[in-house]
Amino acid sequence: MQSQTSASGPELRGSNITLARVTSASDVTNRKTKIVCTLGPACWSVPTLEGLIDAGMNVARFNFSHGDHEGHKACLDRLRQAAKNKKKHIGVLLDTKGPEIRSGFFADGAKKIELTKGENLTLTADYAFKGNNKKLACSYPTLATSVKTGQSILVADGSLVLTVLSCHPSEGEVVCRIENDCSIGERKNMNLPGVIVALPTLTEKDIDDIVNWGVKNEVDYIAASFVRKASDVHQIREILGDMDGKIKIYCKIENQEGMENYGEILAATDGIMVARGDLGMEIPPEKVFLAQKMMIREANIAGKPVITATQMLESMIVNPRPTRAECSDVANAVLDGTDCVMLSGETANGEHPIAAVAIMARTCVEAESAVNFDSLYQAVRNSTLRRYGHLSTSESIASSAVKTAIDVNAKAIIVMSESGNTARQVAKFRPGMPIKVITTSEQVANQCYGTLKGCAAHTVDNMDLEEAMVNVVIEELKAAGKATAGDPVVIVHGTVAKSGATNTMKIEYV
């Protein structure tokens, strides 16, 4: 009979977290989770961009909800100069403005209107109407036929809550009750939770931004706002033309319709952004963390990178230190399995952009130190097999490479990858050791360093220089104190003849 003082089976997680780990300094050189920084006036000088790169920026986000092509191009030139100065492969992400519903303008030149709880407010689809505290224009033409009595309408990021009392399609009007006192300005964003909105995912502006700025300037990623179905992704691929497959598409899941079609969107896209801002308007805020966990898990099983975004260190727009809750939010996203975490206003217009990146990097490292990567490898493999019944040939090679690296205690996995696909598949299986990617493409190097968890990147003129480049990587590992003579490294090779097809693996010794 087994003693009641001994037990087998699962235990509470965190057994590897000790007092020594809590009190020891963070070694940010071990960070695997990538950091996306939004560029803006606070950080777009070359010296500040260099500071962001030193602090840990992997991807620079250009937010096309603001600015024009000329201004963004000047910023891009400075970014690429800073990256060149620091000898880093920084990814460039174009984030589309996307469709939007906004409130209208005010009468008599008013800048703000005061709304009182309990009073009625009429919304009209006549966007030429100049509004007041009794009647306000809305840019969505079919508002009166889209909402139903009892539904909520959120205005200005949820600072104003309206409840629909009655709909009048013939007049194009909706009568609402004001649920809270609020002072609002003109042209504020509006959300219709639970409503399937009949707006195109790509506006004319978005198409122009992608074609005449993104493709022209050879960006690495398109973050597509408000994606609701797989056909949205197919449309973006058509617009990208010859750059489809080279420029990676990351779909921003921002409403319930996108969540409901998440499976088909994930199958069509290259990556996912969990856009928690609008998502928190569209579904109850207490459900957002569940949606985040679900989307990250599914992306992990599919082997597609995922970015967790919005309000991660929001208080650092003003304050020099984040709240404890914000650090926990970043750490929990890492523990959920995110590949990247993102800063928005913190770097774009905050007072402490470099400090925000630095503390985010330290927080990621601390969260990663609580992960058992050997168990995580097995969990990813088991979840993939349970979902699909088998691994693809290239996934099997990648999985075997990570398992071999664990078994021989390899100090690194060196991946020869022309398309980046081999590197992505190795990163899927979450090795505890660094992944060093060698590629002939600057864009692939940017994408591997940018969003693939645990990956660093080196470029070569051609793959015939494999042996010399492997030696360079090994010397770097030795110089950084990550490997010593006799230590094993695992080398994975995607075949040159068929770009993206993983076909060989071997072990070499330092």
Side-chain angles (χ1 to χ4, degrees):
M1 180 177 175
Q2 186 180 12
S3 167
Q4 291 188 6
T5 59
S6 64
S8 61
E11 296 182 19
L12 292 173
R13 72 179 187 182
S15 60
N16 59 333
I17 303 172
T18 62
L19 179 61
R21 177 159 284 173
V22 172
T23 56
S24 62
S26 311
D27 182 1
V28 293
T29 64
N30 291 330
R31 176 173 58 93
K32 300 179 186 302
T33 307
K34 303 306 177 73
I35 297 175
V36 181
C37 298
T38 305
L39 302 193
C43 69
W44 60 25
S45 70
V46 171
T48 309
L49 290 167
E50 289 178 355
L52 294 182
I53 292 169
D54 285 340
M57 174 173 72
N58 300 97
V59 174
R61 171 180 175 249
F62 289 76
N63 183 2
F64 273 70
S65 294
H66 309 283
D68 56 26
H69 287 197
E70 186 180 358
H72 284 307
K73 178 60 166 66
C75 186
L76 177 63
D77 291 342
R78 293 193 292 271
L79 170 73
R80 285 179 167 162
Q81 183 61 54
K84 184 178 179 182
N85 294 348
K86 290 294 176 181
K87 297 181 171 62
K88 293 286 187 181
H89 297 284
I90 304 298
V92 175
L93 182 147
L94 186 167
D95 197 327
T96 65
K97 183 178 182 179
E100 59 184 6
I101 302 173
R102 288 195 177 270
S103 62
F105 295 93
F106 300 147
D108 304 322
K111 296 298 179 188
K112 287 199 167 187
I113 58 171
E114 303 295 328
L115 300 172
T116 304
K117 179 180 178 180
E119 293 187 355
N120 287 358
L121 178 69
T122 300
L123 298 178
T124 175
D126 176 11
Y127 203 63
F129 179 80
K130 298 291 191 287
N132 52 40
N133 62 355
K134 300 297 181 187
K135 190 172 183 179
L136 201 55
C138 169
S139 66
Y140 187 43
T142 58
L143 178 70
T145 56
S146 298
V147 297
K148 294 182 175 62
T149 301
Q151 284 187 323
S152 294
I153 296 174
L154 306 180
V155 186
D157 294 325
S159 61
L160 171 63
V161 180
L162 306 174
T163 300
V164 176
L165 298 178
S166 59
C167 302
H168 307 277
S170 58
E171 292 90 24
E173 293 183 352
V174 173
V175 179
C176 304
R177 182 176 62 244
I178 300 167
E179 299 295 353
N180 61 290
D181 293 339
C182 189
S183 173
I184 66 163
E186 296 178 317
R187 284 186 50 74
K188 294 300 178 182
N189 64 311
M190 303 178 73
N191 293 84
L192 311 176
V195 173
I196 295 178
V197 177
L199 288 173
T201 296
L202 289 179
T203 65
E204 288 183 12
K205 170 182 162 47
D206 295 333
I207 295 169
D208 178 56
D209 291 341
I210 291 170
V211 173
N212 293 317
W213 197 90
V215 172
K216 185 178 177 181
N217 291 304
E218 298 181 351
V219 302
D220 303 299
Y221 312 96
I222 302 293
S225 297
F226 208 59
V227 171
R228 288 158 287 169
K229 45 193 181 296
S231 58
D232 297 338
V233 187
H234 302 322
Q235 183 189 0
I236 298 167
R237 294 201 184 283
E238 288 177 13
I239 290 165
L240 286 173
D242 292 342
M243 294 301 288
D244 176 30
K246 296 176 182 176
I247 296 176
K248 302 301 181 185
I249 300 169
Y250 278 57
C251 291
K252 296 168 68 176
I253 307 301
E254 303 188 74
N255 70 350
Q256 188 169 327
E257 187 182 358
M259 295 264 309
E260 289 169 352
N261 296 323
Y262 184 68
E264 67 173 51
I265 293 169
L266 182 60
T269 188
D270 299 308
I272 291 291
M273 185 186 289
V274 182
R276 305 180 306 177
D278 277 299
L279 193 59
M281 299 290 121
E282 297 283 339
I283 67 174
E286 67 272 18
K287 297 280 193 182
V288 172
F289 86 98
L290 288 174
Q292 173 178 312
K293 289 177 185 294
M294 181 275 284
M295 286 191 275
I296 290 174
R297 181 180 189 273
E298 292 299 311
N300 288 170
I301 293 171
K304 295 188 176 181
V306 58
I307 302 168
T308 303
T310 321
Q311 295 180 325
M312 300 215 83
L313 300 178
E314 183 87 352
S315 70
M316 286 194 75
I317 292 174
V318 176
N319 299 330
R321 288 163 58 86
T323 66
R324 266 52 82 202
E326 287 169 338
C327 283
S328 293
D329 181 37
V330 174
N332 280 319
V334 174
L335 296 175
D336 286 345
T338 195
D339 296 81
C340 317
V341 285
M342 192 174 102
L343 295 167
S344 298
E346 301 94 329
T347 50
N349 50 42
E351 295 178 18
H352 313 281
I354 295 173
V357 179
I359 197 161
M360 180 169 262
R362 294 198 300 273
T363 305
C364 289
V365 168
E366 296 298 347
E368 290 161 5
S369 74
V371 174
N372 182 325
F373 284 97
D374 294 358
S375 298
L376 182 57
Y377 157 75
Q378 197 63 53
V380 173
R381 186 177 184 277
N382 290 346
S383 297
T384 304
L385 287 169
R386 193 166 292 123
R387 175 62 52 82
Y388 301 112
H390 66 280
L391 302 180
S392 68
T393 302
S394 55
E395 272 188 322
S396 178
I397 295 284
S399 170
S400 298
V402 175
K403 181 66 167 66
T404 301
I406 293 169
D407 291 346
V408 303
N409 194 25
K411 300 305 177 186
I413 300 175
I414 299 174
V415 181
M416 315 296 291
S417 181
E418 287 192 290
S419 68
N421 195 49
T422 307
R424 179 179 61 81
Q425 290 180 326
V426 171
K428 167 182 175 170
F429 290 98
R430 300 298 197 242
M433 62 290 297
I435 304 167
K436 304 290 188 179
V437 183
I438 298 172
T439 181
T440 55
S441 166
E442 286 287 341
Q443 188 170 48
V444 169
N446 293 346
Q447 291 163 348
C448 291
Y449 182 72
T451 54
L452 296 189
K453 196 154 190 168
C455 289
H458 299 75
T459 54
V460 289
D461 291 334
N462 63 73
M463 284 300 190
D464 295 337
L465 301 174
E466 173 190 350
E467 191 172 335
M469 201 62 226
V470 167
N471 289 334
V472 168
V473 172
I474 287 172
E475 289 303 317
E476 282 185 5
L477 290 168
K478 288 163 68 175
K482 305 293 186 186
T484 56
D487 285 337
V489 295
V490 171
I491 299 174
V492 185
H493 206 307
T495 179
V496 177
K498 294 181 181 177
S499 186
T502 308
N503 69 343
T504 62
M505 178 192 75
K506 59 185 177 180
I507 303 170
E508 287 195 6
Y509 293 85
V510 174

